Amino acid sequence: MAVLASGRGSNLQALIDASERGRIESKIVVVVSDRPDAKALERARKHKIPGEAIVPPAELKGEARRARHEEQISKVLDHFRTDVVVLAGFMRILSPNFVRRYPQRVLNIHPALLPAFRGVEAQSQAIDWGVRLSGCTTHFVDQEVDHGPIILQAAVPVRPEDTADSLSERILAVEHQLLPRTIRLMEQGRVEMEGRRVKIRPGDSWKSLDRVLPDVLYGDGY
Ligand code: GRF
């Protein structure tokens, strides 16, 4: 798999750890970032994973710029013979063209219970809205932002004293469980799509392997 990340890369780290511990079989063949200073690239280097900074071309604008940028990314993904593309904090919207190149093979992790709080700063959106529960979602990427078929979800309670930061931190700990688990389910061939509904075929659970976090409600598949 290839991981696309713009920043910190803690979800990338969760995948690296899962891979090194034998929890998942997929290898991360390349990490691509649109920001040369992304911590994600540093993490890749540390684990001897090829890392590529691909910055959108400054000489182009708008759609042409995105198209060229995506072409450059695709070239790298193809070079490394990527099967699955994981968006882990990749702060760009991919065009339908790009997504079509990897049918049902582009995944995203989002720090809210979709379809609530799509887009950026989902945790602040949740705090501002006053919800009692938020959480995280892994899903297939389709033509719209934070919209494709949902694979896994977990609900994280919002505490009265929560700030966007404290809520983000608790959700992030669950993201680090859900993302590798999603990859594992795909490896096991247990993810079945029926329209926009995803069915998880019966099999093992990581609840018996891993510590489940207090108060978190894990949806089907974890
Ligand atoms: C995560 O909260 C993820 O859900 C969102 O962006 C953040 C990335 O964090 N899409 P990190 O770079 O993986 O630490």
Side-chain angles (χ1 to χ4, degrees):
M1 69 190 145
V3 178
L4 273 51
S6 298
R8 180 178 54 186
S10 70
N11 278 292
L12 163 68
Q13 190 67 51
L15 290 172
I16 295 173
D17 294 346
S19 159
E20 290 182 350
R21 290 162 65 201
R23 287 289 180 82
I24 59 175
E25 285 168 4
S26 308
K27 253 188 70 182
I28 302 169
V29 289
V30 64
V31 173
V32 174
S33 183
D34 53 334
R35 303 190 47 151
D37 59 346
K39 176 124 192 267
L41 288 173
E42 205 182 300
R43 292 183 196 264
R45 265 196 299 279
K46 221 176 180 172
H47 291 266
K48 311 228 170 343
I49 298 167
E52 300 265 350
I54 306 178
V55 179
E59 70 278 12
L60 297 174
K61 287 220 172 340
E63 210 37 63
R65 187 172 195 224
R66 176 161 77 163
R68 176 72 58 78
H69 188 221
E70 291 183 351
E71 254 169 50
Q72 292 168 338
I73 295 175
S74 286
K75 239 191 212 160
V76 170
L77 301 188
D78 293 348
H79 172 80
F80 284 95
R81 299 156 154 271
T82 305
D83 291 320
V84 170
V85 181
V86 179
L87 309 183
F90 188 64
M91 300 306 285
R92 285 181 188 277
I93 296 168
L94 294 167
S95 71
N97 233 351
F98 180 93
V99 176
R100 266 197 298 272
R101 290 192 59 147
Y102 309 92
Q104 297 177 16
R105 290 184 296 138
V106 188
L107 308 178
N108 183 38
I109 178 138
H110 184 72
L113 289 177
L114 291 174
F117 312 129
R118 290 158 69 177
V120 292
E121 294 180 3
Q123 304 93 332
S124 308
Q125 293 185 52
I127 297 274
D128 293 347
W129 198 263
V131 293
R132 281 356 187 209
L133 289 169
S134 191
C136 49
T137 304
T138 56
H139 66 94
F140 290 107
V141 173
D142 68 3
Q143 330 277 335
E144 286 178 55
V145 177
D146 299 330
H147 175 272
I150 289 169
I151 308 170
L152 295 184
Q153 286 190 308
V156 175
V158 181
R159 298 180 185 147
E161 68 278 14
D162 260 333
T163 60
D165 282 347
S166 64
L167 179 62
S168 300
E169 197 181 311
R170 292 206 318 289
I171 292 176
L172 197 61
V174 189
E175 292 184 43
H176 296 162
Q177 299 182 319
L178 244 55
L179 186 56
R181 176 62 179 164
T182 301
I183 298 295
R184 184 65 195 139
L185 290 171
M186 289 183 67
E187 290 172 352
Q188 292 173 325
R190 289 170 58 193
V191 179
E192 231 174 76
M193 234 190 305
E194 286 173 7
R196 70 154 292 128
R197 296 188 63 183
V198 171
K199 246 175 120 181
I200 310 288
R201 292 209 217 153
D204 71 341
S205 162
W206 277 10
K207 280 190 197 152
S208 52
L209 264 190
D210 245 341
R211 155 181 101 94
V212 296
L213 296 165
D215 299 335
V216 173
L217 174 64
Y218 294 82
D220 180 33
Y222 187 76

